[in-house]
Amino acid sequence: GEDVEQSLFLSVREGDSSVINCTYTDSSSTYLYWYKQEPGAGLQLLTYIFSNMDMKQDQRLTVLLNKKDKHLSLRIADTQTGDSAIYFCAESTTSGTYKYIFGTGTRLKVLA
Amino acid sequence: NAGVTQTPKFQVLKTGQSMTLQCAQDMNHNSMYWYRQDPGMGLRLIYYSASEGTTDKGEVPNGYNVSRLNKREFSLRLESAAPSQTSVYFCASSEAYRSTDTQYFGPGTRLTVL
């Protein structure tokens, strides 16, 4: 079945770049999303990329999509302590029926 | 615009008790969703409502019921709570039920069943 995988933890120093990775199995994805969840809060949409794009840049955020390898990444430039959160990737897919599939989330810790 | 709101924020129940989680959106969205979030498992879809007047089961519907009260409101009911239902519950909405529409999430309800 469809699956979205992420590594569980990432730790970086303030000012460095963070790269959070995600792999997915369903090739019929339409959009791929990155959400941020701060402690005790809901999911906040950060950015998304259409499945026929390779890259999208939005201020400090860069999303790269390798459709051949089914690999999605989120790069955060100049990472700040306020970026500490759990980051979820998700894909919307039309395989069979429309679904929104979430990864398990990557907990990013930014060290001062 | 408040976006998606959920009540309550926190709840503790005893096994066998019932309760209803409330969700409302003010974005005039047609589709609404209920998810649960468990550690290491991401979000799993419980039920969804593609449009006002319709509801359908998601990945983990057992033990839950839903009501799409009107276009704005979508409630989730636990008839007889079990410890396995201890989780964080998120409501979401989207303009329509299609893969090109982004889902927007509420702040969540943290439920503990003793």
Side-chain angles (χ1 to χ4, degrees), chain A residues 5-101:
Chain A
E5 293 190 356
Q6 300 177 239
S7 53
L8 289 180
F9 299 102
L10 176 66
S11 180
V12 299
R13 295 209 172 274
E14 193 174 17
D16 288 349
S17 292
S18 309
V19 179
I20 303 170
N21 295 302
C22 173
T23 57
Y24 59 97
T25 57
D26 194 321
S27 56
S28 67
S29 56
T30 308
Y31 280 103
L32 294 120
Y33 300 87
W34 284 104
Y35 286 86
K36 177 183 180 183
Q37 184 183 29
E38 297 186 28
L43 275 72
Q44 171 197 355
L45 178 67
L46 278 181
T47 187
Y48 62 90
I49 187 168
F50 191 46
S51 59
N52 69 355
M53 295 171 63
D54 298 324
M55 186 181 93
K56 181 178 179 182
Q57 187 147 5
D58 186 359
Q59 298 182 338
R60 292 191 298 123
L61 305 178
T62 303
V63 179
L64 294 177
L65 176 60
N66 182 326
K67 204 167 182 183
K68 174 175 165 290
D69 294 338
K70 297 191 181 72
H71 182 264
L72 179 75
S73 68
L74 173 70
R75 179 176 178 269
I76 305 173
D78 187 24
T79 312
Q80 302 297 307
T81 54
D83 295 323
S84 292
I86 301 176
Y87 290 82
F88 289 93
C89 68
E91 62 165 339
S92 64
T93 170
T94 56
S95 174
T97 184
Y98 159 51
K99 281 183 193 175
Y100 218 82
I101 304 169

Side-chain angles (χ1 to χ4, degrees), chain B residues 5 7 12 14 34 39 49 55-56 60 81 91 99 103 105:
Chain B
T5 57
T7 55
V12 179
K14 293 182 180 175
W34 276 105
S49 171
T55 60
D56 283 286
V60 289
C91 177
S99 62
Q103 292 189 17
F105 285 78

